[in-house]
Amino acid sequence: MTEHVVVALDVGGTGMKCALVRPDGTVHHEERHPTLAARGPEAVTENILEIAAGLAAKARADALEPVAVGVAVPGVVDEENGVAVWSSNVGFRDVPLRSLIEEKLKLPAALGHDVRVGGIAEARLGAGKGERHVLFAAIGTGIAAALVVNGAGYNGAHGAAGELGHIIVRPGGPSCPCGQHGCLEAIASARAIGARYRELSGLSDASAFDVVSRINSDETARQVWHEAIQALADGMITAQALFDVSVLVLGGGLAEAGDTLLGPLKAAMERRVTFHRMPKIVKAALGDTAGCKGAALLALDHLEHSA
Ligand SMILES: [Zn+2]
């Protein structure tokens, strides 16, 4: 019998991570491509279709049978109908990606939200493995989260659940691109941390990375980091009040700070605990491949449900 694989793509604002993944989650082949977002959503869609078709052809050339396609995209995603509803960094506006892929590749396809499928991958294959109630929080340029219960992601009624970055932790605080003020993302995202440090230090090209690397030598960096950690703790304890998870998995670029993030965040959350039960706090294990692995899991789940 020919061995099965699924075609998995994680479409980001700048790059796409793509793979052929076996049903047990192991990777047969990986590729990376530029998204070409600047050329507009139609060109991006065409690019996705070409790359997916190329991966299916690669599978067949390697004597494997591609059986389904999973695609993860950012923004608002209608997973039920397979539509990329809205994305600021890729430019999607109501693109019926699932049916386009199914027509082009003649294979069943599933479409998912990048952070949500990344959370599914971390919960089932990564740092949340063995846990039934997992909150995956991606802290990078923005902040978003995914609640994963018994291995399944929670989408919300409109496919927009998990916007942890836009809960208000500092009423009247800094303005956020979403239109509100004092959102968690406006204080504790890598972008916000970099901006706050530049504002206080006068160093025009400093980033969140500089803040992390200067914590032990620069009082301003220490202050900016402290502010971000306190805001994160407020956001995370709110999430814990709502979801009561057993493990909080931290991913995204800022999680690369490791114990510099995890240690103080844990302490700040513990200071806020009253009735809550503290979750374990761990760093994500799959790095930037979580979205692609999650897209593969989505495709496999889709096959199982339609079988
Ligand atoms: Zn916001």
Side-chain angles (χ1 to χ4, degrees), residues 163 165-168 174-186:
E163 293 291 354
H166 301 288
I167 60 172
I168 294 170
S175 67
C176 180
C178 78
Q180 303 184 112
H181 290 264
C183 290
L184 179 57
E185 185 170 305

Side-chain angles (χ1 to χ4, degrees), residues 70-165:
V71 179
V73 295
V76 179
V77 184
D78 178 350
E79 299 195 359
E80 210 164 311
N81 295 302
V83 178
V85 176
W86 184 90
S87 159
S88 60
N89 50 8
V90 184
F92 290 136
R93 299 289 181 273
D94 294 316
V95 180
L97 257 183
R98 186 178 67 201
S99 56
L100 291 170
I101 290 164
E102 288 181 335
E103 275 163 35
K104 169 107 180 172
L105 275 78
K106 311 293 180 209
L107 290 172
L111 186 71
H113 178 262
D114 56 355
V115 174
R116 217 171 292 140
V117 303
I120 291 171
E122 283 291 347
R124 281 158 61 172
L125 307 171
K129 200 172 171 184
E131 303 281 347
R132 291 176 51 212
H133 300 89
V134 178
L135 187 72
F136 170 65
I139 310 170
T141 312
I143 296 177
L147 176 66
V148 184
V149 179
N150 295 330
Y154 175 76
N155 299 348
H158 312 94
E163 293 291 354
L164 182 67

Side-chain angles (χ1 to χ4, degrees), residues 244-292:
D244 183 32
V245 294
S246 58
V247 61
L248 174 59
V249 178
L250 300 179
L254 216 62
E256 296 308 315
D259 287 338
T260 304
L261 173 69
L262 269 62
L265 177 60
K266 182 167 183 280
M269 280 180 73
E270 278 169 348
R271 281 197 295 276
R272 288 160 172 77
V273 162
T274 58
F275 65 90
H276 323 72
R277 301 288 294 273
M278 269 297 284
K280 280 179 268 184
I281 304 178
V282 298
K283 183 173 175 265
L286 303 177
D288 70 354
T289 67
C292 188

